[in-house]
Amino acid sequence: MATGHVVIESLAALPHAQEVQSYLINLAAAATGKKKPSPDLIPDLNRKSGVFVTATDINMVLDHIRTLYIDNGYRDPQDLENDLIRTLQPDMPESAIAAADRYAADDMIPDQLTGYQQKTKVPLVMGLAALYEQTTGQPVSVMEIDYSNMRGTNEHFARLIGTAEGRSPDSVMRDAMNMTDYISLIVAQTITNTVQNHIGDRADVAMIPLRTGGDEVRIVLPGLPADEARAMLNDVHDQIEQVTARAGLHDHIHSKRPLDDRSNGFGACATIFELKANGHNAYSEVIKAADHDIQRTKTELGQNRLNNPALNALKPSGSMDPNLYTDPDIAADHYTHVMAAMADLYQKHVDIKLDINTIPSLESLATKLKPDHFLTLKQIETSFHDHLLTAMKDQGLTLTRDQERLLSAKVTKFPSTDFASGTLIARDFPAMAGAALRVIDDINARTGHNEPPMTMGVSFHNLAGLNETLGHEVSNSVLHYQAQHIIGAALHKEGIADENFVLAHMGGGEFRVLIQPVIPRDNAPPQIITNQNMMNVYQNIQTGVQALNVVRVDDFIALHGGHMDTSDMPDYIADIKNPRAELRGTEDGVVATVFIAPFKTDAISDKNASRRGGTITNFIGEKLFEATQDRRTQTLASLPSPHSAAPEPTGPHDKNRSLF
């Protein structure tokens, strides 16, 4: 949750209150015909106004939602929104609501890694679930889940596949990451299936699974008391342990703790907390406490894995063979058994198919509008709204002005904003980048230039250390600071405004940026973004990182993350240690790798904007990965040998440590 914003009193007790308020403002504007207040008016929502939405309008919508909760029980945010539309406009045709729902279809697509709802849903689901608890007194339990050792599992699969196929681990890393994603989806399915088996067909309990971060997921359980939710944990953990044992994933080393046998392998661990409307600071403390509880339980589960005959009996052949990474026959046989086990465990789900002909593409909008800058969210929203009204008329639906206005609230779901960083989410970057390339082509043609787009990738390292030290909620505030006050500010200093770049959070601490190379200006020659401009951006980012590192932890939390006990935390951001064993002492605090280069669009033969956007997305990712590897190699080479930060053995020799 970004701080520094004011919420009205009736929402102050909710987690993610700012995001809930923004959502309600949007609905209130659609319901009343008033304008959404600009940011400078948000602190004064209690004023009276016939032009802008006020607290009275927000509370009107809020009262309707409370009534719906009391009358109908918990409703998923999308179903709740449709119920609210029916309440405010009882004569609204159902076919009109269904048509408007298509504009939110992208937001309904499950997260690819887990099959859960997208991360963008987290603020509204959590805030409205707390409102449900506050309104009805019904309990809301939350199962917080953290995956373990995904990086180490990528490395395990890379070594395994490489040995089996006679290739280097680096050359098969993409396949290895796909394998980790595959087992992550299987574990996610295992968790929701186990929870569903416990809930059964109870009408008084709902289940909303959410992807909340890089390796974190969450299951919100409105109507389920916390003691009943906690009673499921042993079964959830048992099922996860059996699945990961069958996939042969209990014995490879942990990338952060290679000397701790209890951390070996891959898995997931869960805990339960009660969701209450006690304010966002209390919510942050509960999340942090859950993180600590998960770390403690992970140790217990890891200890239980050691020399466990029941789990060992489930493992495919070769799982504990010391020659697994050196003997091609052993590796190939083990890999075959692992693939068979995972195929048996995987449950195919039905993909949501979008009617791509129903909604205008961003490429078509860029072609039609021919803007002097990249498409803005306002332009997209207005175009989608106009397109919806045209579609209504083509279907013979006659709507009142109030009905049309209310439906407009449903066409603002794409592209989505990542609540942690305030940027685009990774899913939407290719489409926005593809449309941006179309704008660049048009501007070059109109101005007589042939400038390639500028690309930039920024990876802020040590997110794991920030999470472990500050907790995920405050770490999200750090991500927001990095995106807005480091990357965004660096671009702004060079005269590159928000509408002249596309910025997306790709997960972890990684961001990708596409920058407009020619910026038309009124009554003046266009601004050309030069290599010197981009060198200045690079330096501005590194200067911003240096400034962040010298901020006191308690000062940052007070300004950006609320209030919490910092007595056991480091004094400064720079003092936060990187938990990855091979990086200790080299990437403490916050470190940034930055890749910047022009992208030659004539290298793309495909003219489809989305595929061009995908190509440029992959280009930035690959170049940023190479830049990160090069920087780390140079950093390690500059250190005394042996590296003084290398971990000392603390336990019995592990068969895999020589490979670390």
Side-chain angles (χ1 to χ4, degrees), residues 359-392:
I359 305 170
S361 68
L362 297 187
E363 175 190 11
S364 68
L365 295 185
T367 302
K368 176 182 178 181
L369 296 175
K370 297 187 181 302
D372 288 339
H373 49 71
F374 293 161
L375 292 175
T376 65
L377 300 186
K378 182 63 177 176
Q379 285 178 312
I380 296 171
E381 176 184 332
T382 300
S383 297
F384 280 3
H385 179 240
D386 292 345
H387 188 271
L388 171 64
L389 297 186
T390 300
M392 296 291 100

PDB file of all heavy atoms in Angstrom, residues 359-392:
ATOM      1  N   ILE A 359     -13.262  -7.027 -28.391  1.00  0.00           N
ATOM      2  CA  ILE A 359     -12.655  -5.845 -27.802  1.00  0.00           C
ATOM      3  C   ILE A 359     -11.581  -5.314 -28.743  1.00  0.00           C
ATOM      4  O   ILE A 359     -10.791  -6.086 -29.288  1.00  0.00           O
ATOM      5  CB  ILE A 359     -12.022  -6.207 -26.441  1.00  0.00           C
ATOM      6  CG1 ILE A 359     -13.074  -6.854 -25.535  1.00  0.00           C
ATOM      7  CG2 ILE A 359     -11.428  -4.984 -25.768  1.00  0.00           C
ATOM      8  CD1 ILE A 359     -12.499  -7.460 -24.286  1.00  0.00           C
ATOM      9  N   PRO A 360     -11.520  -4.001 -28.954  1.00  0.00           N
ATOM     10  CA  PRO A 360     -10.474  -3.468 -29.839  1.00  0.00           C
ATOM     11  C   PRO A 360      -9.092  -3.710 -29.251  1.00  0.00           C
ATOM     12  O   PRO A 360      -8.877  -3.598 -28.044  1.00  0.00           O
ATOM     13  CB  PRO A 360     -10.803  -1.976 -29.916  1.00  0.00           C
ATOM     14  CG  PRO A 360     -11.614  -1.690 -28.692  1.00  0.00           C
ATOM     15  CD  PRO A 360     -12.383  -2.942 -28.411  1.00  0.00           C
ATOM     16  N   SER A 361      -8.134  -4.049 -30.110  1.00  0.00           N
ATOM     17  CA  SER A 361      -6.763  -4.247 -29.644  1.00  0.00           C
ATOM     18  C   SER A 361      -6.112  -2.899 -29.375  1.00  0.00           C
ATOM     19  O   SER A 361      -6.516  -1.861 -29.936  1.00  0.00           O
ATOM     20  CB  SER A 361      -5.953  -5.014 -30.689  1.00  0.00           C
ATOM     21  OG  SER A 361      -5.750  -4.210 -31.845  1.00  0.00           O
ATOM     22  N   LEU A 362      -5.096  -2.911 -28.534  1.00  0.00           N
ATOM     23  CA  LEU A 362      -4.362  -1.669 -28.265  1.00  0.00           C
ATOM     24  C   LEU A 362      -3.669  -1.185 -29.536  1.00  0.00           C
ATOM     25  O   LEU A 362      -3.535   0.023 -29.754  1.00  0.00           O
ATOM     26  CB  LEU A 362      -3.345  -1.899 -27.153  1.00  0.00           C
ATOM     27  CG  LEU A 362      -3.913  -2.283 -25.784  1.00  0.00           C
ATOM     28  CD1 LEU A 362      -2.803  -2.309 -24.732  1.00  0.00           C
ATOM     29  CD2 LEU A 362      -5.016  -1.325 -25.337  1.00  0.00           C
ATOM     30  N   GLU A 363      -3.241  -2.116 -30.370  1.00  0.00           N
ATOM     31  CA  GLU A 363      -2.617  -1.741 -31.644  1.00  0.00           C
ATOM     32  C   GLU A 363      -3.598  -0.948 -32.501  1.00  0.00           C
ATOM     33  O   GLU A 363      -3.240   0.085 -33.090  1.00  0.00           O
ATOM     34  CB  GLU A 363      -2.161  -2.993 -32.384  1.00  0.00           C
ATOM     35  CG  GLU A 363      -1.600  -2.705 -33.771  1.00  0.00           C
ATOM     36  CD  GLU A 363      -1.376  -3.968 -34.578  1.00  0.00           C
ATOM     37  OE1 GLU A 363      -1.834  -5.045 -34.152  1.00  0.00           O
ATOM     38  OE2 GLU A 363      -0.756  -3.863 -35.652  1.00  0.00           O
ATOM     39  N   SER A 364      -4.859  -1.418 -32.563  1.00  0.00           N
ATOM     40  CA  SER A 364      -5.848  -0.708 -33.378  1.00  0.00           C
ATOM     41  C   SER A 364      -6.138   0.673 -32.803  1.00  0.00           C
ATOM     42  O   SER A 364      -6.361   1.631 -33.556  1.00  0.00           O
ATOM     43  CB  SER A 364      -7.138  -1.527 -33.474  1.00  0.00           C
ATOM     44  OG  SER A 364      -7.808  -1.601 -32.223  1.00  0.00           O
ATOM     45  N   LEU A 365      -6.120   0.798 -31.479  1.00  0.00           N
ATOM     46  CA  LEU A 365      -6.329   2.113 -30.862  1.00  0.00           C
ATOM     47  C   LEU A 365      -5.191   3.056 -31.218  1.00  0.00           C
ATOM     48  O   LEU A 365      -5.410   4.231 -31.534  1.00  0.00           O
ATOM     49  CB  LEU A 365      -6.443   1.980 -29.344  1.00  0.00           C
ATOM     50  CG  LEU A 365      -7.637   1.197 -28.790  1.00  0.00           C
ATOM     51  CD1 LEU A 365      -7.651   1.276 -27.266  1.00  0.00           C
ATOM     52  CD2 LEU A 365      -8.948   1.720 -29.355  1.00  0.00           C
ATOM     53  N   ALA A 366      -3.964   2.537 -31.159  1.00  0.00           N
ATOM     54  CA  ALA A 366      -2.807   3.373 -31.491  1.00  0.00           C
ATOM     55  C   ALA A 366      -2.860   3.812 -32.951  1.00  0.00           C
ATOM     56  O   ALA A 366      -2.534   4.961 -33.287  1.00  0.00           O
ATOM     57  CB  ALA A 366      -1.517   2.609 -31.199  1.00  0.00           C
ATOM     58  N   THR A 367      -3.270   2.903 -33.827  1.00  0.00           N
ATOM     59  CA  THR A 367      -3.370   3.222 -35.255  1.00  0.00           C
ATOM     60  C   THR A 367      -4.457   4.269 -35.504  1.00  0.00           C
ATOM     61  O   THR A 367      -4.281   5.194 -36.311  1.00  0.00           O
ATOM     62  CB  THR A 367      -3.675   1.950 -36.055  1.00  0.00           C
ATOM     63  OG1 THR A 367      -2.645   0.983 -35.820  1.00  0.00           O
ATOM     64  CG2 THR A 367      -3.764   2.254 -37.538  1.00  0.00           C
ATOM     65  N   LYS A 368      -5.565   4.140 -34.797  1.00  0.00           N
ATOM     66  CA  LYS A 368      -6.691   5.059 -34.995  1.00  0.00           C
ATOM     67  C   LYS A 368      -6.415   6.442 -34.405  1.00  0.00           C
ATOM     68  O   LYS A 368      -6.682   7.470 -35.048  1.00  0.00           O
ATOM     69  CB  LYS A 368      -7.944   4.464 -34.357  1.00  0.00           C
ATOM     70  CG  LYS A 368      -9.168   5.361 -34.415  1.00  0.00           C
ATOM     71  CD  LYS A 368     -10.353   4.709 -33.708  1.00  0.00           C
ATOM     72  CE  LYS A 368     -11.573   5.615 -33.704  1.00  0.00           C
ATOM     73  NZ  LYS A 368     -12.724   4.987 -32.982  1.00  0.00           N
ATOM     74  N   LEU A 369      -5.862   6.472 -33.191  1.00  0.00           N
ATOM     75  CA  LEU A 369      -5.713   7.742 -32.481  1.00  0.00           C
ATOM     76  C   LEU A 369      -4.497   8.536 -32.940  1.00  0.00           C
ATOM     77  O   LEU A 369      -4.476   9.762 -32.840  1.00  0.00           O
ATOM     78  CB  LEU A 369      -5.617   7.478 -30.972  1.00  0.00           C
ATOM     79  CG  LEU A 369      -6.850   6.855 -30.315  1.00  0.00           C
ATOM     80  CD1 LEU A 369      -6.582   6.535 -28.856  1.00  0.00           C
ATOM     81  CD2 LEU A 369      -8.059   7.785 -30.433  1.00  0.00           C
ATOM     82  N   LYS A 370      -3.443   7.837 -33.392  1.00  0.00           N
ATOM     83  CA  LYS A 370      -2.192   8.479 -33.808  1.00  0.00           C
ATOM     84  C   LYS A 370      -1.727   9.531 -32.788  1.00  0.00           C
ATOM     85  O   LYS A 370      -1.520  10.711 -33.135  1.00  0.00           O
ATOM     86  CB  LYS A 370      -2.342   9.126 -35.189  1.00  0.00           C
ATOM     87  CG  LYS A 370      -2.640   8.134 -36.307  1.00  0.00           C
ATOM     88  CD  LYS A 370      -2.606   8.798 -37.662  1.00  0.00           C
ATOM     89  CE  LYS A 370      -2.926   7.806 -38.778  1.00  0.00           C
ATOM     90  NZ  LYS A 370      -2.004   6.668 -38.800  1.00  0.00           N
ATOM     91  N   PRO A 371      -1.551   9.134 -31.534  1.00  0.00           N
ATOM     92  CA  PRO A 371      -1.161  10.108 -30.513  1.00  0.00           C
ATOM     93  C   PRO A 371       0.309  10.513 -30.651  1.00  0.00           C
ATOM     94  O   PRO A 371       1.098   9.833 -31.312  1.00  0.00           O
ATOM     95  CB  PRO A 371      -1.395   9.337 -29.209  1.00  0.00           C
ATOM     96  CG  PRO A 371      -1.159   7.899 -29.583  1.00  0.00           C
ATOM     97  CD  PRO A 371      -1.677   7.766 -30.994  1.00  0.00           C
ATOM     98  N   ASP A 372       0.664  11.616 -30.016  1.00  0.00           N
ATOM     99  CA  ASP A 372       2.064  12.065 -29.990  1.00  0.00           C
ATOM    100  C   ASP A 372       2.839  11.410 -28.857  1.00  0.00           C
ATOM    101  O   ASP A 372       3.992  11.778 -28.596  1.00  0.00           O
ATOM    102  CB  ASP A 372       2.126  13.593 -29.830  1.00  0.00           C
ATOM    103  CG  ASP A 372       1.704  14.312 -31.103  1.00  0.00           C
ATOM    104  OD1 ASP A 372       1.751  13.683 -32.182  1.00  0.00           O
ATOM    105  OD2 ASP A 372       1.316  15.495 -31.014  1.00  0.00           O
ATOM    106  N   HIS A 373       2.195  10.499 -28.170  1.00  0.00           N
ATOM    107  CA  HIS A 373       2.822   9.810 -27.038  1.00  0.00           C
ATOM    108  C   HIS A 373       2.216   8.417 -26.953  1.00  0.00           C
ATOM    109  O   HIS A 373       1.273   8.089 -27.685  1.00  0.00           O
ATOM    110  CB  HIS A 373       2.592  10.583 -25.739  1.00  0.00           C
ATOM    111  CG  HIS A 373       1.159  10.977 -25.529  1.00  0.00           C
ATOM    112  ND1 HIS A 373       0.157  10.063 -25.217  1.00  0.00           N
ATOM    113  CD2 HIS A 373       0.538  12.189 -25.636  1.00  0.00           C
ATOM    114  CE1 HIS A 373      -1.000  10.680 -25.126  1.00  0.00           C
ATOM    115  NE2 HIS A 373      -0.814  11.974 -25.381  1.00  0.00           N
ATOM    116  N   PHE A 374       2.732   7.599 -26.069  1.00  0.00           N
ATOM    117  CA  PHE A 374       2.169   6.267 -25.892  1.00  0.00           C
ATOM    118  C   PHE A 374       0.749   6.373 -25.359  1.00  0.00           C
ATOM    119  O   PHE A 374       0.366   7.386 -24.751  1.00  0.00           O
ATOM    120  CB  PHE A 374       3.029   5.451 -24.920  1.00  0.00           C
ATOM    121  CG  PHE A 374       4.411   5.121 -25.444  1.00  0.00           C
ATOM    122  CD1 PHE A 374       5.423   4.747 -24.580  1.00  0.00           C
ATOM    123  CD2 PHE A 374       4.697   5.165 -26.799  1.00  0.00           C
ATOM    124  CE1 PHE A 374       6.688   4.432 -25.043  1.00  0.00           C
ATOM    125  CE2 PHE A 374       5.957   4.853 -27.285  1.00  0.00           C
ATOM    126  CZ  PHE A 374       6.965   4.489 -26.402  1.00  0.00           C
ATOM    127  N   LEU A 375      -0.038   5.330 -25.585  1.00  0.00           N
ATOM    128  CA  LEU A 375      -1.419   5.327 -25.114  1.00  0.00           C
ATOM    129  C   LEU A 375      -1.465   5.516 -23.599  1.00  0.00           C
ATOM    130  O   LEU A 375      -0.733   4.860 -22.852  1.00  0.00           O
ATOM    131  CB  LEU A 375      -2.094   4.005 -25.472  1.00  0.00           C
ATOM    132  CG  LEU A 375      -2.346   3.726 -26.956  1.00  0.00           C
ATOM    133  CD1 LEU A 375      -2.917   2.322 -27.123  1.00  0.00           C
ATOM    134  CD2 LEU A 375      -3.286   4.764 -27.562  1.00  0.00           C
ATOM    135  N   THR A 376      -2.332   6.404 -23.150  1.00  0.00           N
ATOM    136  CA  THR A 376      -2.547   6.585 -21.721  1.00  0.00           C
ATOM    137  C   THR A 376      -3.731   5.731 -21.275  1.00  0.00           C
ATOM    138  O   THR A 376      -4.566   5.320 -22.096  1.00  0.00           O
ATOM    139  CB  THR A 376      -2.833   8.055 -21.388  1.00  0.00           C
ATOM    140  OG1 THR A 376      -4.080   8.434 -21.997  1.00  0.00           O
ATOM    141  CG2 THR A 376      -1.725   8.959 -21.896  1.00  0.00           C
ATOM    142  N   LEU A 377      -3.799   5.468 -19.988  1.00  0.00           N
ATOM    143  CA  LEU A 377      -4.912   4.681 -19.467  1.00  0.00           C
ATOM    144  C   LEU A 377      -6.240   5.371 -19.729  1.00  0.00           C
ATOM    145  O   LEU A 377      -7.258   4.714 -19.981  1.00  0.00           O
ATOM    146  CB  LEU A 377      -4.718   4.430 -17.974  1.00  0.00           C
ATOM    147  CG  LEU A 377      -3.451   3.668 -17.577  1.00  0.00           C
ATOM    148  CD1 LEU A 377      -3.470   3.354 -16.088  1.00  0.00           C
ATOM    149  CD2 LEU A 377      -3.294   2.390 -18.385  1.00  0.00           C
ATOM    150  N   LYS A 378      -6.252   6.714 -19.692  1.00  0.00           N
ATOM    151  CA  LYS A 378      -7.478   7.452 -19.963  1.00  0.00           C
ATOM    152  C   LYS A 378      -7.921   7.260 -21.406  1.00  0.00           C
ATOM    153  O   LYS A 378      -9.114   7.087 -21.692  1.00  0.00           O
ATOM    154  CB  LYS A 378      -7.267   8.944 -19.667  1.00  0.00           C
ATOM    155  CG  LYS A 378      -8.523   9.790 -19.876  1.00  0.00           C
ATOM    156  CD  LYS A 378      -9.641   9.369 -18.914  1.00  0.00           C
ATOM    157  CE  LYS A 378     -10.860  10.253 -19.078  1.00  0.00           C
ATOM    158  NZ  LYS A 378     -11.980   9.797 -18.211  1.00  0.00           N
ATOM    159  N   GLN A 379      -6.993   7.284 -22.351  1.00  0.00           N
ATOM    160  CA  GLN A 379      -7.338   7.063 -23.751  1.00  0.00           C
ATOM    161  C   GLN A 379      -7.910   5.663 -23.964  1.00  0.00           C
ATOM    162  O   GLN A 379      -8.881   5.486 -24.696  1.00  0.00           O
ATOM    163  CB  GLN A 379      -6.094   7.247 -24.629  1.00  0.00           C
ATOM    164  CG  GLN A 379      -5.672   8.691 -24.828  1.00  0.00           C
ATOM    165  CD  GLN A 379      -4.409   8.786 -25.659  1.00  0.00           C
ATOM    166  OE1 GLN A 379      -3.426   8.092 -25.401  1.00  0.00           O
ATOM    167  NE2 GLN A 379      -4.426   9.654 -26.664  1.00  0.00           N
ATOM    168  N   ILE A 380      -7.287   4.677 -23.330  1.00  0.00           N
ATOM    169  CA  ILE A 380      -7.766   3.299 -23.464  1.00  0.00           C
ATOM    170  C   ILE A 380      -9.161   3.167 -22.873  1.00  0.00           C
ATOM    171  O   ILE A 380     -10.063   2.574 -23.482  1.00  0.00           O
ATOM    172  CB  ILE A 380      -6.784   2.327 -22.778  1.00  0.00           C
ATOM    173  CG1 ILE A 380      -5.433   2.360 -23.492  1.00  0.00           C
ATOM    174  CG2 ILE A 380      -7.346   0.906 -22.767  1.00  0.00           C
ATOM    175  CD1 ILE A 380      -4.332   1.604 -22.761  1.00  0.00           C
ATOM    176  N   GLU A 381      -9.363   3.747 -21.685  1.00  0.00           N
ATOM    177  CA  GLU A 381     -10.665   3.667 -21.021  1.00  0.00           C
ATOM    178  C   GLU A 381     -11.754   4.312 -21.875  1.00  0.00           C
ATOM    179  O   GLU A 381     -12.838   3.736 -22.067  1.00  0.00           O
ATOM    180  CB  GLU A 381     -10.575   4.364 -19.659  1.00  0.00           C
ATOM    181  CG  GLU A 381     -11.883   4.432 -18.901  1.00  0.00           C
ATOM    182  CD  GLU A 381     -11.758   5.217 -17.598  1.00  0.00           C
ATOM    183  OE1 GLU A 381     -10.650   5.250 -17.033  1.00  0.00           O
ATOM    184  OE2 GLU A 381     -12.771   5.790 -17.158  1.00  0.00           O
ATOM    185  N   THR A 382     -11.482   5.505 -22.400  1.00  0.00           N
ATOM    186  CA  THR A 382     -12.470   6.212 -23.215  1.00  0.00           C
ATOM    187  C   THR A 382     -12.795   5.435 -24.492  1.00  0.00           C
ATOM    188  O   THR A 382     -13.964   5.313 -24.888  1.00  0.00           O
ATOM    189  CB  THR A 382     -11.952   7.617 -23.578  1.00  0.00           C
ATOM    190  OG1 THR A 382     -11.711   8.356 -22.369  1.00  0.00           O
ATOM    191  CG2 THR A 382     -12.958   8.363 -24.442  1.00  0.00           C
ATOM    192  N   SER A 383     -11.770   4.884 -25.134  1.00  0.00           N
ATOM    193  CA  SER A 383     -11.980   4.127 -26.373  1.00  0.00           C
ATOM    194  C   SER A 383     -12.787   2.868 -26.117  1.00  0.00           C
ATOM    195  O   SER A 383     -13.692   2.527 -26.891  1.00  0.00           O
ATOM    196  CB  SER A 383     -10.628   3.775 -26.994  1.00  0.00           C
ATOM    197  OG  SER A 383      -9.916   4.930 -27.374  1.00  0.00           O
ATOM    198  N   PHE A 384     -12.469   2.156 -25.034  1.00  0.00           N
ATOM    199  CA  PHE A 384     -13.226   0.952 -24.695  1.00  0.00           C
ATOM    200  C   PHE A 384     -14.682   1.294 -24.393  1.00  0.00           C
ATOM    201  O   PHE A 384     -15.604   0.561 -24.778  1.00  0.00           O
ATOM    202  CB  PHE A 384     -12.592   0.248 -23.493  1.00  0.00           C
ATOM    203  CG  PHE A 384     -11.388  -0.601 -23.842  1.00  0.00           C
ATOM    204  CD1 PHE A 384     -10.902  -0.663 -25.125  1.00  0.00           C
ATOM    205  CD2 PHE A 384     -10.739  -1.335 -22.865  1.00  0.00           C
ATOM    206  CE1 PHE A 384      -9.799  -1.438 -25.450  1.00  0.00           C
ATOM    207  CE2 PHE A 384      -9.642  -2.113 -23.163  1.00  0.00           C
ATOM    208  CZ  PHE A 384      -9.164  -2.163 -24.469  1.00  0.00           C
ATOM    209  N   HIS A 385     -14.898   2.409 -23.691  1.00  0.00           N
ATOM    210  CA  HIS A 385     -16.266   2.812 -23.349  1.00  0.00           C
ATOM    211  C   HIS A 385     -17.067   3.124 -24.612  1.00  0.00           C
ATOM    212  O   HIS A 385     -18.213   2.665 -24.776  1.00  0.00           O
ATOM    213  CB  HIS A 385     -16.232   4.029 -22.427  1.00  0.00           C
ATOM    214  CG  HIS A 385     -17.586   4.526 -22.038  1.00  0.00           C
ATOM    215  ND1 HIS A 385     -18.024   5.797 -22.335  1.00  0.00           N
ATOM    216  CD2 HIS A 385     -18.616   3.913 -21.406  1.00  0.00           C
ATOM    217  CE1 HIS A 385     -19.268   5.945 -21.896  1.00  0.00           C
ATOM    218  NE2 HIS A 385     -19.642   4.823 -21.320  1.00  0.00           N
ATOM    219  N   ASP A 386     -16.456   3.868 -25.518  1.00  0.00           N
ATOM    220  CA  ASP A 386     -17.144   4.198 -26.768  1.00  0.00           C
ATOM    221  C   ASP A 386     -17.433   2.932 -27.571  1.00  0.00           C
ATOM    222  O   ASP A 386     -18.505   2.798 -28.183  1.00  0.00           O
ATOM    223  CB  ASP A 386     -16.298   5.160 -27.597  1.00  0.00           C
ATOM    224  CG  ASP A 386     -16.187   6.531 -26.954  1.00  0.00           C
ATOM    225  OD1 ASP A 386     -16.983   6.830 -26.043  1.00  0.00           O
ATOM    226  OD2 ASP A 386     -15.273   7.301 -27.352  1.00  0.00           O
ATOM    227  N   HIS A 387     -16.485   2.011 -27.567  1.00  0.00           N
ATOM    228  CA  HIS A 387     -16.662   0.761 -28.301  1.00  0.00           C
ATOM    229  C   HIS A 387     -17.802  -0.052 -27.700  1.00  0.00           C
ATOM    230  O   HIS A 387     -18.598  -0.668 -28.429  1.00  0.00           O
ATOM    231  CB  HIS A 387     -15.360  -0.040 -28.282  1.00  0.00           C
ATOM    232  CG  HIS A 387     -15.370  -1.249 -29.155  1.00  0.00           C
ATOM    233  ND1 HIS A 387     -15.804  -2.482 -28.703  1.00  0.00           N
ATOM    234  CD2 HIS A 387     -15.021  -1.429 -30.454  1.00  0.00           C
ATOM    235  CE1 HIS A 387     -15.704  -3.361 -29.679  1.00  0.00           C
ATOM    236  NE2 HIS A 387     -15.238  -2.758 -30.753  1.00  0.00           N
ATOM    237  N   LEU A 388     -17.894  -0.073 -26.362  1.00  0.00           N
ATOM    238  CA  LEU A 388     -18.969  -0.805 -25.695  1.00  0.00           C
ATOM    239  C   LEU A 388     -20.329  -0.241 -26.075  1.00  0.00           C
ATOM    240  O   LEU A 388     -21.270  -0.992 -26.383  1.00  0.00           O
ATOM    241  CB  LEU A 388     -18.774  -0.739 -24.175  1.00  0.00           C
ATOM    242  CG  LEU A 388     -19.932  -1.285 -23.323  1.00  0.00           C
ATOM    243  CD1 LEU A 388     -20.113  -2.782 -23.556  1.00  0.00           C
ATOM    244  CD2 LEU A 388     -19.685  -1.007 -21.838  1.00  0.00           C
ATOM    245  N   LEU A 389     -20.458   1.080 -26.069  1.00  0.00           N
ATOM    246  CA  LEU A 389     -21.747   1.691 -26.392  1.00  0.00           C
ATOM    247  C   LEU A 389     -22.147   1.397 -27.837  1.00  0.00           C
ATOM    248  O   LEU A 389     -23.326   1.160 -28.130  1.00  0.00           O
ATOM    249  CB  LEU A 389     -21.675   3.197 -26.151  1.00  0.00           C
ATOM    250  CG  LEU A 389     -21.426   3.632 -24.699  1.00  0.00           C
ATOM    251  CD1 LEU A 389     -21.519   5.145 -24.577  1.00  0.00           C
ATOM    252  CD2 LEU A 389     -22.408   2.957 -23.745  1.00  0.00           C
ATOM    253  N   THR A 390     -21.169   1.404 -28.725  1.00  0.00           N
ATOM    254  CA  THR A 390     -21.463   1.057 -30.117  1.00  0.00           C
ATOM    255  C   THR A 390     -21.943  -0.386 -30.228  1.00  0.00           C
ATOM    256  O   THR A 390     -22.895  -0.698 -30.961  1.00  0.00           O
ATOM    257  CB  THR A 390     -20.212   1.267 -30.987  1.00  0.00           C
ATOM    258  OG1 THR A 390     -19.812   2.636 -30.925  1.00  0.00           O
ATOM    259  CG2 THR A 390     -20.493   0.887 -32.442  1.00  0.00           C
ATOM    260  N   ALA A 391     -21.289  -1.278 -29.472  1.00  0.00           N
ATOM    261  CA  ALA A 391     -21.683  -2.692 -29.483  1.00  0.00           C
ATOM    262  C   ALA A 391     -23.100  -2.859 -28.934  1.00  0.00           C
ATOM    263  O   ALA A 391     -23.876  -3.691 -29.432  1.00  0.00           O
ATOM    264  CB  ALA A 391     -20.692  -3.515 -28.660  1.00  0.00           C
ATOM    265  N   MET A 392     -23.452  -2.078 -27.915  1.00  0.00           N
ATOM    266  CA  MET A 392     -24.808  -2.144 -27.355  1.00  0.00           C
ATOM    267  C   MET A 392     -25.843  -1.772 -28.428  1.00  0.00           C
ATOM    268  O   MET A 392     -26.865  -2.447 -28.597  1.00  0.00           O
ATOM    269  CB  MET A 392     -24.941  -1.168 -26.168  1.00  0.00           C
ATOM    270  CG  MET A 392     -24.075  -1.468 -24.952  1.00  0.00           C
ATOM    271  SD  MET A 392     -24.535  -2.943 -24.038  1.00  0.00           S
ATOM    272  CE  MET A 392     -23.304  -4.073 -24.692  1.00  0.00           C
TER     273      MET A 392
END
